[in-house]
Amino acid sequence: ARLDLCGAMSALAGPSAVLRRRPDGSASETPGDDRMSSSGARLDEGQTLRSSDGASSSAADDVDGAEASRAAVRGQPDANPAKAPPGPRVSTPTGPPGVPKPRVSRNADPTRLRVCAVTWNMCNRKFPGDLAPMLAPLREDDGGMRCDVLVVGLQEAPALDGFVELLLDALGGDDAFVHLASVSLEPGGWIRMDAFARRELLPLVRDVRRDAVSCGLGNVIGNKGAVGVSFEYAGARMCFLNAHLAAHAENVERRNADYHRIVKTMFAPRGRDEEKRKGLLKKAGKVKKNAVAPAPAFAEDAPSDSPIDSTRPTPSTPKFGGVFKRKGWSAADGFDVCVFLGDLNYRVEGNRRAVDVLLERGMLDVMRANDQLRIERNAGRAFAGWSEGALAFPPTYKVDRGTFDTYDTSKKQRVPSWTDRVMWRTAGGGAVTCPDGADVYTSAKGVLTSDHLPVVARIEARVRGARDAALGDGTHARPRARAGMCAVM
């Protein structure tokens, strides 16, 4: 009977039920038979989950596996479904119906999260049939993949049928990793990002969201801009942005402007939540002309029912009179950790002949000193406060296709540059720290189908409270504790 009980507990592992052990050694289900989605939201009969790009899935389909397991144990269907507001969340993958979600392995250390990112400008060329060389920098000598979360950001992407399946094969199969979400910038779909997580850590992942921002002509064309995926891991909010900024060496100011539009717009509050905040001021009675509603401190305060609108205008920065200054929303500050990757298009200042001599003599330090992104970041004009690994690898643009060290031999003779970058930023006092930075930051020289080489980074992140979340009664992480203070004089 106890063996059967253990089997029942395993079958019930998931967001729809929690088992607690009684003093006599038996197990009982937590009161309440509410049906819930894989993201933790309660659902009515037939209610649908709507993602941020307008896609929806049936609530009944979302809980089929959990309902079957519960009915088998209790011998009766679920009752008393409860209501919950809809949200633009992507249902967290749970596997085939009837298969329970995995629990966090006791051998895993959920407080140390290895966050990996790959950025690759594909030059509209078809991807190779084997993507293992692209992930080769993440493999250890024993062949193991030291990776817990992986995001792959693409620019100038062609049709990508079968791309996710090849990535899963390179990661060790869908027994090892789960595809969390895909998002692309429309129209065109040239900018895309896919997010993956190690399967044994899936119980700690929830509230997956997507967004996109266009920076092309008139902020409408999708050839330039960014896409984003955010989710909660063990109570910590994580954001990943994949961008393709303005091209050409002389367009530094346009690249800076693209960066600011992206971080101010991505996942920014809008829609009914914005109207609600404005309504709070009206209800408060007479207010000063320059008073503004408070901006959200964290991403969970962002809207939960707005579809993706990549052409929406950049939110204006609120102005506040007197000595108090308040910043508007920024994805760089609205999450516990934010990773920004992509073809950022910042170039090395200099002429081609001089840079060729520097490369021949291995004088990368001189090239780094003339890197536009480093100059702009140090001046505080863009990416201020962001961290990056050491640029100890040769430039990744522009190489002749089929090579990794032969730079542009066309008439244009473009200056070799580090256009493809991975950066990150953590919130001060937040739940995530990256004390050791990036232990991998290099190019993948085994993928030669484009005039850009893929860039691979691995960031060692530490998540406060993740161990408690993994050992808790529920399969989802406990909400992160928040405190607030307001003083009025």
Side-chain angles (χ1 to χ4, degrees), residues 48-57 86-91 304-305 307:
T48 58
L49 276 178
R50 188 162 298 279
S51 66
S52 56
D53 60 356
S56 62
S57 60
R89 302 175 178 86
V90 181
S91 296
S304 60
D305 57 355

Side-chain angles (χ1 to χ4, degrees), residues 14-15 18 38-40 101 104 110 201-207 231-237 463-481:
V18 178
S38 57
S39 62
K101 289 178 62 177
V104 180
L201 297 178
L202 187 59
L204 301 180
V205 177
R206 61 180 296 172
D207 196 18
F231 56 83
E232 182 178 306
Y233 172 81
R237 292 295 304 173
V463 184
R464 187 177 69 244
R467 185 177 299 279
D468 293 336
L471 298 178
D473 292 330
T475 57
H476 280 285
R478 299 166 182 166
R480 173 164 52 86

Side-chain angles (χ1 to χ4, degrees), residues 154-375:
L154 305 175
Q155 309 87 37
E156 297 185 23
L160 293 170
D161 295 338
F163 184 76
V164 170
E165 289 75 15
L166 283 178
L167 272 175
L168 283 172
D169 290 342
L171 287 168
D174 54 9
D175 290 337
F177 279 82
V178 175
H179 182 227
L180 293 178
S182 291
V183 59
S184 58
L185 180 59
E186 302 298 340
W190 297 298
I191 303 175
R192 167 169 165 158
M193 183 162 59
D194 291 275
F196 304 82
R198 189 174 291 278
R199 182 171 288 276
E200 67 178 5
L201 297 178
L202 187 59
L204 301 180
V205 177
R206 61 180 296 172
D207 196 18
V208 182
R209 303 190 183 200
R210 302 176 291 185
D211 203 357
V213 175
S214 175
C215 297
L217 182 63
N219 290 337
V220 174
I221 306 301
N223 63 323
K224 295 294 186 288
V227 293
V229 172
S230 72
F231 56 83
E232 182 178 306
Y233 172 81
R237 292 295 304 173
M238 299 186 172
C239 176
F240 300 88
L241 306 179
N242 169 41
H244 193 186
L245 306 186
H248 305 302
E250 65 274 13
N251 287 331
V252 177
E253 292 185 1
R254 283 187 56 190
R255 284 189 278 277
N256 293 350
D258 287 350
Y259 159 77
H260 287 292
R261 167 166 166 76
I262 290 167
V263 296
K264 289 180 179 179
T265 310
M266 194 74 72
F267 297 110
R270 63 186 191 276
R272 290 194 306 174
D273 285 19
E274 184 70 19
E275 296 299 325
K276 184 186 298 184
R277 282 193 299 275
K278 292 180 180 178
L280 291 178
L281 282 178
K282 295 180 181 178
K283 291 180 180 180
K286 186 177 180 180
V287 296
K288 291 185 177 181
K289 183 188 299 185
N290 64 350
V292 295
F298 289 93
E300 57 263 33
D301 298 325
S304 60
D305 57 355
S306 300
I308 290 179
D309 178 12
S310 62
T311 64
R312 63 191 184 273
T314 305
S316 58
T317 302
K319 298 180 180 180
F320 208 67
V323 298
F324 296 102
K325 305 295 181 183
R326 185 172 65 81
K327 297 193 302 181
W329 163 264
S330 172
D333 302 318
F335 296 85
D336 291 294
V337 62
C338 185
V339 179
F340 200 115
L341 59 142
D343 179 1
L344 307 187
N345 257 323
Y346 289 94
R347 311 301 175 91
V348 172
E349 296 281 3
N351 62 61
R352 176 62 186 269
R353 181 176 299 179
V355 172
D356 282 346
V357 172
L358 295 175
L359 283 172
E360 291 174 3
R361 299 181 179 180
M363 301 175 66
L364 296 183
D365 54 335
V366 179
M367 294 181 62
R368 288 191 291 265
N370 289 276
D371 172 59
Q372 290 178 343
L373 179 53
R374 178 176 178 175
I375 294 171

